[in-house]
Amino acid sequence: MALEFERPILELEARIQELERTASEQGLDFSEEIELLKAKLDRLQREIFGNLTAWQRVQLARAPGRPTTLDVIEALFEEFAELRGDRAFADDAAIVGGVARFHGEEVVVVGHQKGRNTRENIARNFGMPHPEGYRKAMRLMDLADKTGRPFIAFVDTPGAYPGVSAEERGQAWVIARSIQRMSRLKVPAVVVILGEGGSGGALAIGVGNRVLIMENAWYSVISPESCAAILWRDAKEAERAAEALKLTARDLLRLGVVDRVVPGPKGGAHRNPEAACRELDRALVETLEDLKGLSPEAIWEDRYRRFRRLGVFEEV
Amino acid sequence: MALDRLFRRRRTRGQAREVPELWVRCAACEAQVYRKDLEQALWVCPECGYHHRISAERWVALLADEGSFEPTTGRVRPADPLGFVDTEPYPERLRRYQEKTGRPDAIHGGRATVGGVPTVLLVMDYAFAGGSMGSVVGEEITRGAELAAEENRALVIVAASGGARMQEGALSLMQMAKTTMALDRLFAKRLPYVSILTDPTTGGVTASFATLADVIFAEPGALVGFAGPRVIKQTIRQDLPEGFQRAEFLQKHGLIDAVVDRRQLKEQLVQTLSLLYPGEGHGA
């Protein structure tokens, strides 16, 4: 499924492919034409992807094929043992986690999990956790502290699930607890915003010493659609809301909300997940290296200071 | 003659104006209540028990010991880090709220004693942008917790908020983490924190400091939750159960300690604080 704005690129790619097929089938030489079209494709790609609007980036962040938490774990980690359940109520498939090996080192990992198709998405509740999902995450934070292993969290959720069952079981209470538990970690915590960083449901596992964000991912206090529905009383104004919320990777870097933008492949991570994962691998190695050697107290203090300074106001 | 008539009419109008000031219509049951009676009942309707929303100043008067309050908030003013414009520019929206409430942002508070217990008392002001939390509210809550830790005071927060403030984007979201982390400063000194949830408290405020208190009280009928009822209804496309997300529902589901009538709140707060506050003779 193509996004509206990438259609011209896909059409051109299809034309090049067809020309190449015709050339090989009929033994004709179209190399000059193909070269011209490839140059045009390159220009077009640069033009479209060099001038992405915030709303287009939001669509890229949601695009099927973009690496999910389990895709990233599979690509980056040598080993992964999934651990399930919150030990209280249920196993929430919208959050996955476990112990893993990253470049030889044992780590504890957790992340929101979206489905890669409709059937999977229904099983994963579109990556929108219930309280038990956050309780599972907290249990894994306990494990990271106990074993002294770095904690890595992958954020990719439209938001925590807004439903009756979630409210009855204290969604807000659990998110608050999860923020608190994560802030108390005595081991290095690295957060990666993979796709969507939807509000409190994202922040619940977002309290890292360092917060990285993939190119074309978004992170915001509210989704553009909900913001538009409230402020403009029309969800169709999401495009304007996306612009106003300053939710893109570069904006967030400028505001100090994230510490590093992980560059993505030309055409978006959903067209080339392998390349996206390679860039992330490098960024993650460097970030964990930065945090090595800090004492548990220093790690905690580092995280406290990082969040303490966030906010913009005038002192009278 | 004409002049006389004008004066007479004015007098009549003046008297007519006084009548609605003497009597107030309850926002819930619509009973006509004598204003003095309502004030005496702390703006709880004597007929139906409905808890009317009261100003931050009245909250302070209600909870702080007489003459003990010393404001510490108000020295931090909001900015416009995003250059946010919706139907109007954010700075204009802020100016309107500042004129209406007489304060820089949606929070009011300071040092006080509550039943003799040294306290930092913070009250969120729903009249200011729906009590939404941006950088200023986040900073004031954080400083309040730090002040409490520094001066060995209990912390009491009266919450009322539609959640994190959209106009400051992800910076508002970050206040949830910042305020949560500040509460940990109280742990080292074993200082109690009591949260009072009032109607309504939702979103980022509920999902951070407001529900992390040692003791949580809620006013009768107060709506408290993560998502607002409208959003939930849109998501599940079903009617919500009776009393859903109301204080009584929260108590039943084990999420708060007690639903407390405003007329008993001070007494209950004093008892709680004096039982939790460390050391002896603190009331002296």
Side-chain angles (χ1 to χ4, degrees):
Chain A
M1 209 179 63
L3 302 170
E4 191 60 40
F5 62 89
E6 51 173 8
R7 252 190 215 136
I9 295 172
L10 299 182
E11 277 164 17
L12 199 55
E13 276 175 352
R15 257 175 70 195
I16 293 171
Q17 266 175 20
E18 202 182 306
L19 211 54
E20 282 173 337
R21 200 172 45 239
T22 317
S24 75
E25 276 171 15
Q26 306 184 359
L28 299 168
D29 182 16
F30 287 141
S31 56
E32 214 167 294
E33 288 86 338
I34 289 169
E35 277 316 302
L36 273 172
L37 285 179
K38 277 189 174 164
K40 194 177 164 194
L41 176 68
D42 193 56
R43 268 203 312 278
L44 193 64
Q45 253 178 347
R46 246 179 301 171
E47 199 183 292
I48 292 172
F49 278 85
N51 298 289
L52 288 173
T53 65
W55 180 237
Q56 286 171 332
R57 291 184 199 275
V58 169
Q59 289 169 279
L60 283 170
R62 295 168 176 169
R66 192 177 173 89
T68 66
T69 293
L70 284 175
D71 295 327
V72 169
I73 289 173
E74 165 120 21
L76 268 60
F77 298 128
E78 297 103 79
E79 282 181 71
F80 173 59
E82 186 173 353
L83 302 175
R84 296 184 181 85
D86 67 341
R87 301 288 195 264
F89 182 78
D91 181 49
D92 188 344
I95 286 192
V96 295
V99 284
R101 192 179 301 282
F102 181 63
H103 291 264
E105 194 186 349
E106 297 89 351
V107 296
V108 176
V109 47
V110 74
H112 301 103
Q113 185 61 39
K114 287 188 185 176
R116 284 163 279 204
N117 51 50
T118 309
R119 203 171 50 88
E120 262 185 47
N121 251 326
I122 290 165
R124 302 257 179 218
N125 200 29
F126 297 84
M128 294 187 285
H130 280 75
E132 45 273 24
Y134 296 112
R135 276 197 300 266
K136 173 158 68 176
M138 285 190 266
R139 187 202 136 200
L140 291 169
M141 293 170 198
D142 289 345
L143 186 63
D145 260 341
K146 182 181 179 185
T147 56
R149 289 178 181 161
F151 186 78
I152 301 172
F154 297 108
V155 170
D156 190 14
T157 180
Y161 184 62
V164 174
S165 50
E167 294 287 331
E168 272 174 358
R169 300 201 284 276
Q171 187 74 292
W173 279 252
V174 173
I175 289 172
R177 282 270 169 221
S178 188
I179 292 169
Q180 185 176 58
R181 179 63 192 90
M182 193 165 180
S183 76
R184 288 173 175 171
L185 280 170
K186 294 288 176 73
V187 295
V190 179
V191 174
V192 183
I193 320 285
L194 284 182
E196 299 194 86
S199 192
L203 178 67
I205 57 166
V207 192
N209 292 80
R210 300 288 181 277
V211 181
L212 317 185
I213 187 165
M214 303 289 279
E215 196 169 336
N216 302 321
W218 66 269
Y219 191 20
S220 172
V221 66
I222 189 168
S223 77
E225 287 91 341
S226 300
C227 177
I230 294 168
L231 291 181
W232 285 275
R233 309 211 164 269
D234 185 359
K236 290 191 201 82
E237 298 286 348
E239 192 165 350
R240 270 163 78 183
E243 211 62 56
L245 284 166
K246 299 281 184 285
L247 45 63
T248 71
R250 303 280 153 195
D251 288 324
L252 296 166
L253 188 66
R254 186 176 54 79
L255 293 169
V257 172
V258 303
D259 305 294
R260 178 172 176 165
V261 180
V262 182
K266 201 164 58 178
H270 66 304
R271 299 274 166 222
N272 193 349
E274 298 81 16
C277 285
R278 269 197 305 277
E279 288 287 351
L280 176 57
D281 185 64
R282 191 150 53 115
L284 210 46
V285 167
E286 287 171 9
T287 306
L288 283 169
E289 191 59 40
D290 268 358
L291 295 168
K292 244 184 205 149
L294 290 177
S295 70
E297 273 311 309
I299 280 288
W300 180 85
E301 195 62 42
D302 169 85
R303 200 180 306 113
Y304 185 84
R305 275 204 305 270
R306 185 196 182 279
F307 283 89
R308 178 64 187 87
R309 64 184 157 74
L310 286 174
V312 175
F313 47 79
E314 287 157 18
E315 201 88 35
V316 182
Chain B
M1 182 66 192
L3 213 61
D4 186 30
R5 225 170 40 221
L6 187 71
F7 275 121
R8 213 167 44 216
R9 204 180 297 153
R10 257 198 196 160
R11 240 193 337 269
T12 331
R13 271 202 216 133
Q15 283 163 350
R17 260 205 308 276
E18 267 177 32
V19 176
E21 284 173 9
L22 273 173
W23 294 88
V24 181
R25 192 187 290 270
C26 170
C29 72
E30 302 204 331
Q32 294 282 352
V33 185
Y34 192 48
R35 191 182 175 85
K36 280 244 169 68
D37 287 348
L38 193 62
E39 278 184 21
Q40 204 129 52
L42 308 173
W43 286 269
V44 177
C45 174
E47 299 291 324
C48 72
Y50 177 74
H51 284 52
H52 290 87
R53 197 171 287 149
I54 58 173
S55 70
E57 282 76 10
R58 278 180 181 159
W59 268 114
V60 169
L62 171 63
L63 297 179
D65 297 340
E66 211 178 326
S68 75
F69 181 69
E70 180 201 326
T72 56
T73 58
R75 290 194 288 262
V76 186
R77 298 184 64 85
D80 181 20
L82 270 48
F84 199 99
V85 182
D86 51 276
T87 48
E88 67 181 313
Y90 179 46
E92 270 171 42
R93 208 174 265 266
L94 284 172
R95 208 167 307 131
R96 216 155 30 77
Y97 287 125
Q98 284 162 349
E99 274 165 24
K100 179 172 133 194
T101 62
R103 59 180 123 256
D105 212 309
I107 191 157
H108 173 60
R111 297 182 182 92
T113 60
V114 177
V117 176
T119 299
V120 169
L121 173 62
L122 299 169
V123 184
M124 302 187 78
D125 183 2
Y126 196 78
F128 194 112
S132 56
M133 173 164 67
S135 297
V136 170
V137 170
E139 183 68 19
E140 293 282 22
I141 298 276
T142 302
R143 287 186 190 188
E146 288 169 348
L147 179 70
E150 201 177 307
E151 297 184 354
N152 285 308
R153 291 168 179 274
L155 179 64
V156 175
I157 301 180
V158 181
S161 176
R165 188 173 296 168
M166 286 179 282
Q167 288 88 348
E168 293 182 33
L171 287 173
S172 299
L173 185 67
M174 294 301 112
Q175 304 311 308
M176 293 168 64
K178 186 166 98 178
T179 54
T180 294
M181 291 167 106
L183 296 177
D184 267 356
R185 302 270 140 162
L186 300 171
F187 271 75
K189 296 201 161 177
R190 300 178 170 174
L191 295 163
Y193 163 34
V194 178
S195 174
I196 297 159
L197 307 175
T198 73
D199 187 58
T201 305
T202 58
V205 168
T206 323
S208 63
F209 64 87
T211 55
L212 289 170
D214 306 309
V215 176
I216 306 174
F217 295 139
E219 288 212 301
L223 181 98
V224 182
F226 178 63
R230 207 163 45 100
V231 175
I232 298 171
K233 232 170 138 170
Q234 272 168 13
T235 311
I236 62 169
R237 293 169 205 282
Q238 275 170 25
D239 282 332
L240 300 173
E242 178 87 12
F244 179 64
Q245 293 183 314
R246 299 287 170 185
E248 297 74 14
F249 170 96
L250 302 175
Q251 185 177 310
K252 184 171 154 249
H253 286 274
L255 296 167
I256 60 170
D257 291 285
V259 180
V260 184
D261 188 296
R262 194 179 289 159
R263 291 163 289 191
Q264 276 90 55
L265 185 59
K266 166 104 190 214
E267 196 187 337
Q268 196 143 347
L269 180 62
V270 168
Q271 188 198 32
T272 305
L273 288 178
S274 65
L275 283 169
L276 287 173
Y277 190 76
E280 278 176 279
H282 52 76

